[in-house]
Amino acid sequence: MALGPEIYDTPAAGSPRDRRLFVFNGGFVTNRRVRRILQLSGYSLHLGMPRDGDAIAVWGNAGTAHRGLAVASKKGLPVVRVEDAMLRSLFPGRAGEPPLGLLIDHKGLHFDPAQPSELEDILTSHPLDDTALLDRARGAIQRITEAHLTKYSGFDTAHPAPDPGYVLVIDQTLGDASVAASGADRSRFLEMLVFAQQENPGARIIIKTHPETAKGYRSGHFGPEDANDHITLLTAPISPWTLFEGAVRVYTVSSQMGFEAIFAGHKPRVFGQPFYAGWGLTEDEFPVQRRQRVLTRAQLFAGAMILYPKWYDPHRDCLCDLETVIEAMAAQTRAWREDHRGWVASDMRLWKRQPLQRFFGRWSPVTYQNDPKAARATGKPWMVWASKATQAHAGALRVEDGFLRSRGLGADLVPPLSLVCDDLGIYYDPRSPSRLEQLITSRAKMRPDQSHRAARLIAALRDAGLSKYNLGGGGDLDALPAGRRILVPGQVEDDASIRAGTDAVSTNLALLHAARAAHPDAVILYKPHPDVEAGLRLGAIDAGGLADRVLTDADPIALLAHVDEVWTMTSLLGFEALLRGVKVVTLGAPFYAGWGLTEDRGDIPARRRAEVSIEGLAHAALIDYPRYFDPRSGTACAVEVVVERLASGDLPRRGMANRALAKLQGVFATQAHLWRRR
């Protein structure tokens, strides 16, 4: 009996007739994600008795594996071993988290030294000398390290770490298959602890408890009885990468942490026979004699993390490369680390609360409290909408729309796909430092993988013609007046970025005057802000005497291909012009000014001294700073997913109530003259 048919977003990528895998383990039946990854890898799962040409799938060395192995032996059929990949999820599978990848091996088990596995074959025989492959490995190692990713990444990096200078001894769970495969038991772990003390006399010993032990799922090999004055049992969920930084030596039997320790610069002392032992990167107490090749860290990583696993993209429902999984896991991990304690939010308009709940409330609901004193008293992380922040909100994070927001205006109540949270200030207010400023400064130097990612992102934005709101527009751009064309984007004149980020030139009319005075013979194109055109915000002017053409219906992003220069106060269109290679002159102090990419005529903060490439600016503003939300999967995602959603229009429609509220808001907007002061 076939497991399925199932409904997926995309068809399987295997052959027209997938290879039949028969399973005798309930986990294959109940875990939809595992079935899907296997289907995309060219397999179809079945229950019942196999025939010639079929294969048997078993889950590692699980307690149920013997069923499938017995059937395979009786019928003379091949066995396919399946295991979780080494970047799995936020939490263990026992917590209900699906995996982001699988290890599918037709020869053996990667953690069982009794016979070679496909992973061992890769590490033994693959050239592992391709420059591009090794560069990918180095970049991925650094990205995993900086994002503090591991097999289970659901830990808070803010948790205090032990004082440095300790010896790290890594515990594992009782019944761990890799421990059994190494022939180890509690006596081996105790022996390892003795060696750690003898080889490091007088040193502090920290025993790191396994995450499943800390959560009560399974017991470990060490307990409180093994601790004393200089041996500490560490159960707190501290990042492995933080622990490696403070350790002077690392001891393990066969833990994946031993594998990660290698990339943190350690040469771990190994008392088992894990897959990463025997390649010249570990001190092996029990060597695997057939492993004689000496590998670099990048080669080991490339084989184990790039070439061997099947990685799954949860947003696109397809197999993918390691880098895509890293960014998916990084986005979800960042969201959990920032949100799991729950947020209290102040001064959030009613219509924004549902989108905020989707962004920040997956792990713990967002609560709302407008009284700053009461909000602070909750002890929870605290946020306030940036434009509503006052001195009373000291200590609250400022929240604002991101730079790839939506397909439609916030004024029309279109929910955002990106938001920024700033713990220092807010990007549009140059009067004080912001987190974005610090991120931009940090991107003055970039790794190759970071530069390449930012360049690909810029190209994708250019190709898709994407901007903050993606409103589109019409207009005959081919009929524009000939000559040197200067685009002057109008802004909302009571916008917070105007109030905070301008000085001498702070109105649309003054901006036009400045552009015309500097270029009396140029073709000046004026594009009013869409909110101003709709009568929703202040900033309407008569531009006829200064501009050669007022473009009320043109797509501003499309316009950039037809102009030579952009003059702006603080408009985001200046940033979007830079991404498209258009010269930008600023008369205010927008976040993208002061880094050597613009001609600045405003008062730029002296603290902006770094020389930053356009890739560095894009990385900081579009990758590092915002958080993104995928409305299809309902989870945090990387920027590339949002770019694809916006480009394809693959976005859920607004509900009826939301559309009705937007229309009602529009009716009130047409009567704005009744309450706005001119």
Side-chain angles (χ1 to χ4, degrees):
M1 179 182 71
L3 292 178
E6 297 181 82
I7 299 173
Y8 298 102
D9 296 330
T10 61
S15 62
R17 185 176 180 182
D18 294 335
R19 185 173 188 184
R20 298 192 339 156
L21 283 181
F22 281 76
V23 298
F24 301 88
N25 179 338
F28 287 108
V29 179
T30 59
N31 195 316
R32 184 180 187 273
R33 176 69 59 79
V34 168
R35 297 198 308 271
R36 180 54 170 163
I37 297 174
L38 286 167
Q39 183 193 35
L40 290 167
S41 302
Y43 303 96
S44 63
L45 268 62
H46 296 259
L47 299 175
M49 295 306 295
R51 303 191 300 265
D52 289 346
D54 296 331
I56 309 296
V58 300
W59 190 266
N61 265 345
T64 55
H66 66 92
R67 305 171 190 165
L69 295 174
V71 175
S73 177
K74 182 178 179 180
K75 293 190 171 285
L77 297 176
V79 175
V80 178
R81 303 274 189 172
V82 183
E83 265 280 351
D84 287 325
M86 286 170 274
L87 279 180
R88 188 194 185 281
S89 52
L90 279 173
F91 304 109
R94 287 175 173 82
E97 286 275 313
L100 287 170
L102 294 177
L103 307 178
I104 304 171
D105 202 306
H106 299 80
K107 289 194 66 175
L109 283 165
H110 73 283
F111 57 75
D112 190 345
Q115 63 185 47
S117 64
E118 289 184 7
L119 174 56
E120 187 170 323
D121 285 353
I122 291 170
L123 298 177
T124 300
S125 304
H126 194 286
L128 297 173
D129 60 357
D130 181 78
T131 300
L133 174 66
L134 298 180
D135 284 346
R136 286 180 61 197
R138 295 184 190 99
I141 291 169
Q142 291 177 300
R143 180 69 178 115
I144 287 171
T145 304
E146 70 184 8
H148 288 260
L149 302 181
T150 183
K151 188 172 186 176
Y152 310 123
S153 297
F155 48 80
D156 193 340
T157 54
H159 202 289
D163 293 334
Y166 48 82
V167 173
L168 182 62
V169 175
I170 303 168
D171 196 9
Q172 295 173 250
T173 58
L174 289 174
D176 186 304
S178 74
V179 172
S182 291
D185 53 16
R186 174 165 159 80
S187 63
R188 181 77 61 84
F189 279 81
L190 292 174
E191 179 187 11
M192 175 174 64
L193 183 59
V194 170
F195 270 84
Q197 296 174 82
Q198 291 178 344
E199 293 172 353
N200 304 277
R204 288 181 295 129
I205 308 290
I206 289 181
I207 300 174
K208 177 64 178 73
T209 299
H210 192 277
E212 292 195 18
T213 302
K215 290 184 177 295
Y217 295 131
R218 292 195 286 179
S219 299
H221 292 87
F222 294 114
E225 67 277 9
D226 300 303
N228 54 39
D229 290 344
H230 62 280
I231 300 176
T232 302
L233 195 67
L234 182 64
T235 60
I238 296 175
S239 167
W241 305 101
T242 301
L243 288 175
F244 295 144
E245 188 174 347
V248 294
R249 293 197 73 184
V250 176
Y251 288 72
T252 184
V253 171
S254 59
S255 170
Q256 182 177 312
M257 277 188 67
F259 175 63
E260 294 165 339
I262 294 170
F263 307 110
H266 290 279
K267 190 172 187 178
R269 190 87 154 84
V270 178
F271 286 75
Q273 295 179 317
F275 70 90
Y276 53 84
W279 312 108
L281 297 168
T282 52
E283 296 180 32
D284 302 325
E285 189 68 15
F286 304 97
V288 181
Q289 295 301 325
R290 64 178 180 270
R291 299 177 188 171
Q292 297 293 323
R293 189 181 186 186
V294 176
L295 300 174
T296 65
R297 291 185 174 97
Q299 287 175 319
L300 175 64
F301 185 93
M305 297 293 286
I306 296 176
L307 300 177
Y308 184 48
K310 297 289 186 181
W311 296 111
Y312 176 78
D313 184 340
H315 302 288
R316 302 173 180 89
D317 185 40
C318 62
L319 298 182
C320 64
D321 56 23
L322 171 63
E323 291 84 350
T324 299
V325 162
I326 288 174
E327 296 310 328
M329 194 170 189
Q332 295 179 23
T333 300
R334 175 183 176 182
W336 180 85
R337 289 172 184 166
E338 293 179 1
D339 301 345
H340 72 280
R341 291 176 293 163
W343 286 95
V344 59
S346 298
D347 290 286
M348 303 294 182
R349 295 173 65 180
L350 288 175
W351 80 268
K352 292 179 178 179
R353 294 188 177 189
Q354 184 179 17
L356 285 171
Q357 200 67 247
R358 292 194 303 168
F359 255 90
F360 302 110
R362 181 182 181 192
W363 304 104
S364 184
V366 179
T367 59
Y368 298 93
Q369 176 54 256
N370 287 340
D371 180 8
K373 186 177 181 180
R376 192 177 287 107
T378 65
K380 295 181 177 181
W382 181 25
M383 65 172 65
V384 60
W385 197 258
S387 62
K388 302 291 186 180
T390 67
Q391 292 289 337
H393 296 99
L397 270 72
R398 272 58 170 169
V399 179
E400 253 291 350
D401 290 326
F403 306 128
L404 286 171
R405 185 193 184 280
S406 52
R407 190 172 282 277
L409 294 169
D412 286 334
L413 310 191
V414 178
L417 301 182
S418 67
L419 292 169
V420 301
C421 297
D422 202 307
D423 60 330
L424 299 178
I426 192 63
Y427 70 87
Y428 58 71
D429 190 346
R431 295 171 298 184
S432 60
S434 69
R435 178 59 59 185
L436 179 55
E437 274 190 356
Q438 292 199 357
L439 290 168
I440 295 172
T441 300
S442 73
R443 295 304 179 201
K445 294 183 178 179
M446 299 256 284
R447 301 194 309 264
D449 63 296
Q450 295 169 329
S451 294
H452 295 157
R453 184 184 180 194
R456 290 193 301 270
L457 176 60
I458 292 170
L461 295 175
R462 288 175 172 174
D463 293 344
L466 296 181
S467 64
K468 184 174 183 177
Y469 296 113
N470 304 290
L471 298 173
D476 186 3
L477 300 183
D478 293 329
L480 293 173
R484 180 172 180 78
R485 300 183 186 126
I486 296 176
L487 176 61
V488 179
Q491 294 184 242
V492 175
E493 291 187 353
D494 62 350
D495 188 77
S497 73
I498 296 293
R499 298 196 307 268
T502 60
D503 42 80
V505 177
S506 60
T507 66
N508 293 323
L509 193 60
L511 175 63
L512 268 174
H513 274 292
R516 176 57 74 194
H519 298 280
D521 300 322
V523 176
I524 304 290
L525 306 174
Y526 180 68
K527 177 68 179 75
H529 192 280
D531 279 352
V532 175
E533 288 185 276
L536 299 174
R537 304 287 295 276
L538 294 175
I541 62 170
D542 181 4
L546 293 165
D548 295 282
R549 185 72 58 86
V550 178
L551 302 165
T552 57
D553 60 349
D555 180 357
I557 299 302
L559 266 173
L560 292 175
H562 297 265
V563 303
D564 302 285
E565 199 168 318
V566 172
W567 276 57
T568 182
M569 293 178 285
T570 61
S571 173
L572 187 63
L573 193 65
F575 173 61
E576 292 163 337
L578 289 177
L579 296 179
R580 290 157 176 84
V582 179
K583 179 182 177 181
V584 177
V585 178
T586 66
L587 284 85
F591 72 86
Y592 51 85
W595 310 106
L597 298 170
T598 52
E599 179 183 321
D600 301 319
R601 302 191 178 195
D603 186 13
I604 306 299
R607 60 182 179 271
R608 299 184 188 176
R609 297 181 178 178
E611 294 284 328
V612 181
S613 67
I614 188 60
E615 289 82 13
L617 179 66
H619 201 292
L622 297 174
I623 296 174
D624 301 323
Y625 192 43
R627 280 178 49 173
Y628 295 94
F629 178 80
D630 177 17
R632 287 296 176 191
S633 65
T635 59
C637 67
V639 59
E640 290 84 359
V641 175
V642 163
V643 168
E644 290 183 20
R645 298 284 189 252
L646 290 172
S648 66
D650 184 20
L651 301 168
R653 295 184 64 186
R654 289 181 291 161
M656 186 177 296
N658 188 272
R659 294 197 300 272
L661 185 58
K663 289 182 179 180
L664 182 63
Q665 177 171 281
V667 171
F668 279 109
T670 63
Q671 306 300 318
H673 64 281
L674 297 177
W675 61 81
R676 290 200 188 276
R677 291 181 293 178
R678 299 284 182 179

